[in-house]
Amino acid sequence: MDSSGSIVAFNGALSIQLNDSMSNTFVTATNDYDFAKITDSVSESHVNQSSVSCSVSSGDGASSYCVQTNNNMQSVGVEHRGCVSSIVYHTPNGTTYWKPNMPEEFVPVKDMEFETWDDAVNMYNTYADKSGFSMRLSTIKRVKGSVTHRYMLCTRAGKPKFQDFDSTNTNSASTSRRSSSKVVCCNARLRLKPVPNTMRFKIYDFVDILTHELIGPNVMEFTKKRRKIGYSERNFIHKLSLNKIGPNIAHNLQCSLKGGSHNVNGTKTDFQNATRDLRLFISDRDAQMIVDIMTSRSVNLPNFSFEYKVVGSELRYIFWADDVSKCNYDAFGEVLGFDATYSTNKYGMIFVPFTGVDHHKKCVTFGAGLIYDETIESYKWLLDKFLKTHKKQPKLVLTDQDVAVKQVVCAVFDQYSQVELIPDKYLPARWMRNVLPDRVHDISNRYSAEDDEESVIRRNMFELLTECADRLRHKPDCLNSLLVQLKGIKDKVFKEFPSEPPCNSKRSIISELVGQPDTVDVTIKPPTGIRNKGSGTKRQVGVVEKLLENCNKNPRLCHKCNKYVIDHDSRNCEKVKAAKEAAAAETAAVLADAT
């Protein structure tokens, strides 16, 4: 042992006293291996809190060790990040720590009891949200099947893993994987154990010192809890994907609907990951899924036809036609368009639509198929199923036998030179993490952010309703009870406000959306007569040609001037009238000058 501590023995147990002006901390291990791990962790974490206690159940013949440390942290001030406040501490070795500055009613207290485990989780979750950090559930310890301890930790708890690798050697066996993990050995935690002979839990250890800065409301959207995507978000993403709308646009839509990205659970990356998770879930079961779904439709829907063929265990041929397709073929099936198209599906199956033209000269579909290859056998199977479904042959078949071949060209990138360390002179401030002040991330600086009182209240109402609906999924009786309560609230509101308010009129709503009053004097108008490069030339239309064109138009009644006209309506009556008056005045001025 070096001069920073001493080894003492008492009651047959080994004790290590670290003499660095720290308060007492006890950590118990059961063997040499655990003892080595504990001493390593204590050397890193004993300055993080005023007290630590950790016990491991001892086995037969196991040794018991005790590590005792002291702590001496000094408060240096209070840090504010919006509504989040924390007390900042410094240790003698220069390390900084943060303690949430919270009202006492939200702070957990030792020996506090809870009726259920969920009550404890909700309490600590609320404390973490208001404090400015995220929590996660951790270890559950059991003895003979019975729970003895349950832990909740900060999401940044844990020791970061570092891996040495040669970034300039592409053939190196050791490579670095990109990770969003931001663990910093944070020791904020809550430990509970069951109350004997009851179903309750009580707190026996609580640490409120964090090794990282607390998070303000401006960046709370990037915490793990807020980035967690629930049923509503995933359902929204999935519904849009069915309409060929990707996750990026889905996230943009959510931001627009909810008044800003800070009100949306999950970032664009999380929405992309949700789509990835859906695809991974489907994986190689998609062929089975389509067969099951289409077979179910053919059983439950009238006039829906579905045929498929499996070769070995592979789905090779598919044909389907619904009731609309059959009706279209019965009415317009004299001429059939039959063409093979190379699909963009990931299996490269060939898409074969059966199309025609209706009485509006619009394309209609008679059915469709997916085939494995363009062989006589494949086309024969597909046409046999088509005729089996529609039971009559077309009089004329139009088909195109051209084959489109696509090739992919891959680039090779030479290696960015052999540089082990970037010189400081090449590290300008724009590369630094803290180059921008915190105020630029304020919500008030974000476009389309709606933080007025009414918008916040409406958003909170919708979020509460969504959370309740998600919690009651697959519980129709409970959902119906919630619906009854909502109807009661609606009846109460409509009884108190029986008439529609003027602010709900169409023009008032549009005026509010665009941020302009209904009536306003326009003093700035868009430019006219701009002729840029590439815009081409426009033929001048003569007076006679204009008259001939207007003669072919049917006059319409303008409800503004009560005249049948062809050049305006009630929406632009005043504008056209003013333009005519201005033109007449200009003509009169020209004539006066000429006279």
Side-chain angles (χ1 to χ4, degrees), residues 342 403-407:
Y342 283 90
V403 178
V405 179
K406 297 181 179 180
Q407 295 181 348

Side-chain angles (χ1 to χ4, degrees), residues 317-333:
Y317 310 110
I318 300 176
F319 171 78
W320 70 93
D322 57 10
D323 189 28
V324 177
S325 300
K326 294 181 179 180
C327 293
N328 286 333
Y329 187 75
D330 291 341
F332 316 111

Side-chain angles (χ1 to χ4, degrees), residues 486-500:
L486 292 175
K487 288 182 178 178
I489 296 175
K490 176 185 175 182
D491 294 340
K492 182 180 178 181
V493 171
F494 275 60
K495 183 177 180 180
E496 186 175 356
F497 304 97
S499 60
E500 188 80 4

Side-chain angles (χ1 to χ4, degrees), residues 262-539:
H262 59 288
N263 299 315
V264 178
N265 289 338
T267 62
K268 283 188 177 181
T269 301
D270 298 315
F271 275 49
Q272 294 169 1
N273 292 341
T275 303
R276 175 207 62 193
D277 295 339
L278 179 63
R279 291 175 177 172
L280 288 176
F281 176 82
I282 295 175
S283 187
D284 57 354
R285 71 178 79 177
D286 49 357
Q288 184 64 53
M289 287 177 59
I290 192 172
V291 169
D292 293 341
I293 293 173
M294 301 293 271
T295 301
S296 176
R297 292 175 67 88
S298 64
V299 173
N300 298 316
L301 295 180
N303 294 329
F304 185 91
S305 297
F306 173 67
E307 301 282 348
Y308 68 96
K309 181 179 180 181
V310 176
V311 178
S313 60
E314 296 182 355
L315 181 64
R316 293 292 184 91
Y317 310 110
I318 300 176
F319 171 78
W320 70 93
D322 57 10
D323 189 28
V324 177
S325 300
K326 294 181 179 180
C327 293
N328 286 333
Y329 187 75
D330 291 341
F332 316 111
E334 294 183 351
V335 179
L336 171 66
F338 175 66
D339 184 20
T341 304
Y342 283 90
S343 302
T344 57
N345 60 78
K346 68 177 183 177
Y347 301 110
M349 295 187 72
I350 301 166
F351 178 63
V352 184
F354 296 87
T355 58
V357 180
D358 64 3
H359 56 301
H360 295 295
K361 296 183 178 180
K362 303 295 184 182
C363 290
V364 292
T365 302
F366 303 145
L370 286 171
I371 57 178
Y372 180 78
D373 53 11
E374 292 186 281
T375 61
I376 296 177
E377 179 185 2
S378 300
Y379 284 126
K380 184 178 184 302
W381 181 91
L382 194 61
L383 289 173
D384 287 341
K385 301 305 178 184
F386 178 84
L387 295 176
K388 176 184 176 181
T389 299
H390 293 295
K391 298 180 174 58
K392 71 174 184 179
Q393 295 185 359
K395 294 182 178 179
L396 178 64
V397 177
L398 302 177
T399 181
D400 185 2
Q401 296 296 334
D402 291 339
V403 178
V405 179
K406 297 181 179 180
Q407 295 181 348
V408 178
V409 178
C410 299
V412 177
F413 295 93
D414 295 333
Q415 296 184 8
Y416 290 109
S417 57
Q418 303 292 334
V419 177
E420 296 182 359
L421 183 66
I422 301 177
D424 292 340
K425 65 179 181 180
Y426 295 106
L427 295 175
R430 63 189 301 272
W431 287 10
M432 301 303 178
R433 181 181 302 174
N434 57 348
V435 61
L436 296 177
D438 289 341
R439 65 177 182 274
V440 302
H441 302 295
D442 194 271
I443 294 175
S444 60
N445 291 330
R446 303 183 186 182
Y447 293 107
S448 73
E450 300 175 353
D451 285 322
D452 57 283
E453 183 179 7
E454 182 176 350
S455 298
V456 171
I457 295 175
R458 287 174 59 90
R459 184 166 59 247
N460 291 338
M461 288 170 50
F462 294 139
E463 289 180 354
L464 289 174
L465 178 59
T466 301
E467 291 175 3
C468 293
D470 290 350
R471 184 60 60 91
L472 299 178
R473 287 187 64 232
H474 303 304
K475 298 181 178 65
D477 294 337
C478 297
L479 281 172
N480 187 61
S481 176
L482 177 62
L483 179 61
V484 172
Q485 297 179 49
L486 292 175
K487 288 182 178 178
I489 296 175
K490 176 185 175 182
D491 294 340
K492 182 180 178 181
V493 171
F494 275 60
K495 183 177 180 180
E496 186 175 356
F497 304 97
S499 60
E500 188 80 4
C503 61
N504 282 350
S505 65
K506 182 174 70 174
R507 295 192 66 86
S508 297
I509 292 175
I510 295 175
S511 174
E512 184 176 347
L513 290 176
V514 300
Q516 291 289 327
D518 190 7
T519 56
V520 62
D521 295 330
V522 179
T523 59
I524 301 176
K525 298 181 180 180
T528 58
I530 297 178
R531 303 291 295 170
N532 292 322
K533 292 181 179 180
S535 59
T537 58
K538 187 174 182 180
R539 183 176 62 87

